[in-house]
Amino acid sequence: MINLQQVRADFPILEQRVNGEPLVYFDNAATSQTPVSVLDAMRNYYLTENANVHRGVHTLAERATEHYERVRQQVANFIHAASADEIVFTRSTTESLNLVARGLGDQILQPGDEIVISIMEHHSNLVPWQEVAKRTGAVLKYIELNDHQELDLQSAQEQITPQTKIVAVAAASNVLGTVNPVKQLGKLAHAAHAWFVVDAAQFVGHHPLDVQEWDADLVAFSGHKMYGPTGIGVLYVREQLHDLLRPVQFGGEMVETVTREQTTFKKAPLGFEAGTPDISGVVGLGAAITYLQTIGWESIEHQERVLVNYLLPQIKAIDHVTMYGPQDHHTGVFAFNVRGVHPHDVATALDLAGVAVRAGHHCAQPLMSTLGVTATARASLAFYNTKAECDQFINALTAVKEFFINGIS
Ligand code: 7TS
């Protein structure tokens, strides 16, 4: 069982007052907070190891390179990749998906070929595909939602056809609070001989990730959504794709030989890491993985489940509040609206009560139109949140609703 007091001591940022109230940080889907051990690891790196990687023979350079490559192996183990060579460090999920769209999409797509994504995708797993479709003449198709506002497998079966070359879906939605049937989608993709891309940004900090169990070809995620720093991301590239995927950034350290006329490139992963990478970000990512493993998936999943089971019925019970996504089971992501009130007003009023939630379209505008709204408020949890924070949120939301609907303050 999780020791919440101990865990919260690892995140000093949580222990503050905002607008006179204890801070309730319910914006974890946007970015998670960073434990002291991650900050210490990065500070220690700059204090004792800082050097550029893969180019020096002096001791610090070797130390930094060894650390950087050790984290690559750590990430491979963390997501159950077959080899560290399958781990490419990027800046973010967004950069990883853009690399896939350009480096794979531009290589293989012909006019009339299909890219299949879902209607719940974050813009970073949507706009790059629209752009590839424009460049190549491929067609972008969408898997729709079912009546419970979950991904509809029936629709996936209909959309994925022999013309489909790429299927790209989120493992977990940043709006609906759903975990998608990734394994089944992978089967459908591979049955059509399409490459299977998974956006794991909202999955990675909450559940153990196993790329082989998913049978995924490419998987993208960000450090800052798994208690690591911003500015570091990962693209898992299955070995079979190493010759097919083209680099999209060119420059230092990704080359083998350069002549006046032409260049040969290194193989994955270094061939996809042009220039000086975010070394301290990699160090922080490694420390975040160590931190997660110290807490343990069982404790993390259990605590999040306890909070979801506590919060879900309470949100649903507030009249004039509409909650999106499935009504019966949920991840710790709750998108909602107070009827007739702009979600930005809801979020501002909640902030006055110390509660941090996000409001807006959550970078998922096609999903918003499907839901028939332009924006929602969204509360999103992490394992360090508490039932007392849920109470503070529910009390504040009830008061906000009363204020706007009945004019009672
Ligand atoms: N994919 C999903 C499913 C996401 O939720 C996000 C970020 C991204 C991709 C992009 O990640 P980035 O690290 O490259 O920015 N989602 C959110 C959010 O829901 N609120 O702020 C960022």
Side-chain angles (χ1 to χ4, degrees):
M1 202 60 56
I2 211 155
N3 180 340
L4 266 181
Q5 219 179 342
Q6 210 175 318
V7 160
R8 289 180 70 88
D10 296 333
F11 297 87
I13 195 171
L14 299 174
E15 298 311 312
Q16 60 179 295
R17 285 183 172 261
V18 166
N19 294 317
E21 303 293 336
L23 166 66
V24 174
Y25 186 75
F26 274 9
D27 196 17
N28 294 285
T31 198
S32 52
Q33 298 300 346
T34 319
V36 171
S37 61
V38 170
L39 304 175
D40 283 349
M42 293 168 76
R43 185 166 188 272
N44 195 48
Y45 164 76
Y46 275 118
L47 286 175
T48 63
E49 295 177 350
N50 184 34
N52 213 329
V53 290
H54 295 301
R55 58 201 86 191
V57 292
H58 60 80
T59 302
L60 285 191
E62 280 182 357
R63 221 180 268 170
T65 304
E66 189 274 327
H67 197 153
Y68 185 81
E69 289 305 320
R70 183 153 36 91
V71 175
R72 198 191 300 281
Q73 183 62 56
Q74 201 184 354
V75 174
N77 299 343
F78 180 65
I79 64 170
H80 199 215
S83 142
D85 290 345
E86 296 181 320
I87 306 301
V88 173
F89 289 123
T90 65
R91 203 161 51 82
S92 59
T93 308
T94 302
E95 189 173 280
S96 294
L97 291 168
N98 274 277
L99 165 54
V100 177
R102 273 205 175 267
L104 178 67
D106 283 9
Q107 291 307 302
I108 64 167
L109 293 169
Q110 307 283 330
D113 285 346
E114 296 168 353
I115 307 157
V116 175
I117 65 173
S118 90
I119 196 64
M120 71 173 76
E121 296 312 311
H122 186 280
H123 293 163
S124 66
N125 194 31
L126 192 158
V127 183
W129 299 116
Q130 280 181 342
E131 291 297 306
V132 178
K134 270 194 239 160
R135 289 195 295 272
T136 60
V139 182
L140 181 59
K141 295 167 73 183
Y142 291 89
I143 303 167
E144 302 294 337
L145 303 184
N146 64 20
D147 293 344
H148 304 290
Q149 297 184 341
E150 300 159 327
L151 184 141
D152 184 2
L153 264 181
Q154 180 70 35
S155 167
Q157 264 159 9
E158 286 159 16
Q159 296 303 322
I160 299 170
T161 74
Q163 278 70 53
T164 306
K165 296 291 179 289
I166 294 171
V167 175
V169 288
S173 165
N174 68 325
V175 176
L176 297 170
T178 53
V179 172
N180 289 328
V182 179
K183 263 171 85 168
Q184 285 98 313
L185 291 164
K187 282 203 180 100
L188 291 175
H190 288 148
H193 303 289
W195 296 108
F196 183 46
V197 183
V198 182
D199 169 358
Q202 292 294 340
F203 187 91
V204 67
H206 303 280
H207 308 285
L209 196 168
D210 187 328
V211 292
Q212 296 189 57
E213 194 191 322
W214 280 350
D215 200 11
D217 299 308
L218 297 132
V219 179
F221 58 93
S222 300
H224 72 97
K225 291 194 201 289
M226 49 175 286
Y227 316 101
T230 51
I232 187 70
V234 169
L235 179 64
Y236 160 79
V237 184
R238 183 185 237 164
E239 212 247 322
Q240 284 95 308
L241 271 154
H242 284 191
D243 291 332
L244 188 57
L245 188 71
R246 282 262 308 166
V248 300
Q249 283 197 315
F250 302 90
E253 284 308 308
M254 52 79 67
V255 299
E256 243 160 17
T257 53
V258 183
T259 64
R260 281 179 184 237
E261 293 78 25
Q262 61 178 18
T263 299
T264 56
F265 305 123
K266 281 188 183 140
K267 290 205 162 297
L270 294 184
F272 297 98
E273 294 176 2
T276 301
D278 183 354
I279 308 164
S280 70
V282 167
V283 168
L285 181 67
I289 292 174
T290 304
Y291 182 79
L292 281 168
Q293 288 168 337
T294 307
I295 303 288
W297 283 122
E298 212 177 308
S299 298
I300 290 169
E301 287 185 313
H302 179 261
Q303 173 64 6
E304 291 191 6
R305 178 76 14 230
V306 165
L307 293 171
V308 168
N309 290 342
Y310 187 64
L311 202 52
L312 179 64
Q314 296 196 68
I315 299 178
K316 276 166 51 182
I318 306 176
D319 58 351
H320 292 90
V321 169
T322 308
M323 202 194 65
Y324 302 94
Q327 298 295 306
D328 47 357
H329 57 276
H330 241 267
T331 66
V333 174
F334 301 94
F336 61 92
N337 272 321
V338 180
R339 246 162 274 158
V341 185
H342 196 281
H344 278 134
D345 293 337
V346 173
T348 305
L350 288 174
D351 184 55
L352 288 173
V355 181
V357 301
R358 184 178 168 187
H361 53 59
H362 312 295
C363 305
Q365 283 181 313
L367 174 61
M368 291 292 122
S369 348
T370 304
L371 298 176
V373 295
T374 50
T376 77
R378 181 190 67 186
S380 52
L381 311 178
F383 66 90
Y384 46 57
N385 290 127
T386 65
K387 281 188 175 177
E389 290 182 317
C390 293
D391 293 342
Q392 190 178 329
F393 164 68
I394 290 292
N395 290 339
L397 181 57
T398 308
V400 169
K401 187 260 317 185
E402 294 287 323
F403 175 77
F404 281 107
I405 306 290
N406 302 326
I408 305 164
S409 61

